[in-house]
Amino acid sequence: MVVPKEYVESAFSQLLGCRLQRLEAGVAEVALALEPHLRNRGQKLHGGAIFSLVDISMGLACSASHGFDQQSVTIECKINYMRAVSEGEVVCTARVLHAGRRTLVVDADVLQDDKLVAKAQGTFAVL
């Protein structure tokens, strides 16, 4: 799916360093490298950065589902963190599980290589 850059990037996603890897109907894959400004006090990738990566990926999956001419916003999101990230890069793959007229339910996995870092599920409202 080819979409103009301004539709898939925001100032916040650029600030974090998110890089879109794949975008297709109802699916988005976004990568994030562990940079010094994303570390927590324990020198690991901050959970808030991981959550932001998830939210960005889920939002893009929603847009890839209902079209970039409509907006959707997060109603709620739950995340489980499985392991810490000390170096390298993580990739979030978000998939729309249900696309209704008013809401979408989205599932996301954050992986580092083949290891699960975090698992999330969210609900989005179509505006």
Side-chain angles (χ1 to χ4, degrees):
M1 175 179 291
V2 178
V3 180
K5 186 177 174 180
E6 61 270 12
Y7 286 178
V8 297
E9 289 185 358
S10 68
F12 185 65
S13 68
Q14 291 174 343
L15 178 69
L16 288 176
C18 293
R19 295 179 331 278
L20 181 64
Q21 302 292 299
R22 178 170 60 113
L23 189 63
E24 53 192 58
V27 179
E29 186 176 279
V30 181
L32 179 65
L34 176 51
E35 298 292 340
H37 68 279
L38 299 177
R39 290 185 183 275
N40 63 18
R41 290 179 291 131
Q43 299 307 305
K44 310 294 186 210
L45 180 58
H46 196 288
I50 295 171
F51 191 92
S52 293
L53 171 66
V54 164
D55 193 52
I56 289 163
S57 302
M58 287 180 164
L60 286 169
C62 288
S63 293
S65 176
H66 58 55
F68 284 84
D69 58 330
Q70 283 187 289
Q71 285 188 311
S72 52
V73 295
T74 311
I75 294 174
E76 62 82 29
C77 187
K78 182 230 188 295
I79 190 166
N80 290 99
Y81 299 97
M82 312 301 178
R83 67 178 63 244
V85 175
S86 299
E87 60 184 35
E89 179 176 274
V90 295
V91 176
C92 179
T93 303
R95 290 181 175 82
V96 174
L97 301 177
H98 169 76
R101 287 182 306 126
R102 293 186 209 141
T103 61
L104 299 100
V105 177
V106 187
D107 180 76
D109 292 326
V110 179
L111 298 171
Q112 185 174 42
D113 299 320
D114 62 343
K115 294 180 181 168
L116 187 63
V117 171
K119 176 83 175 167
Q121 188 173 70
T123 307
F124 287 70
V126 180
L127 301 181

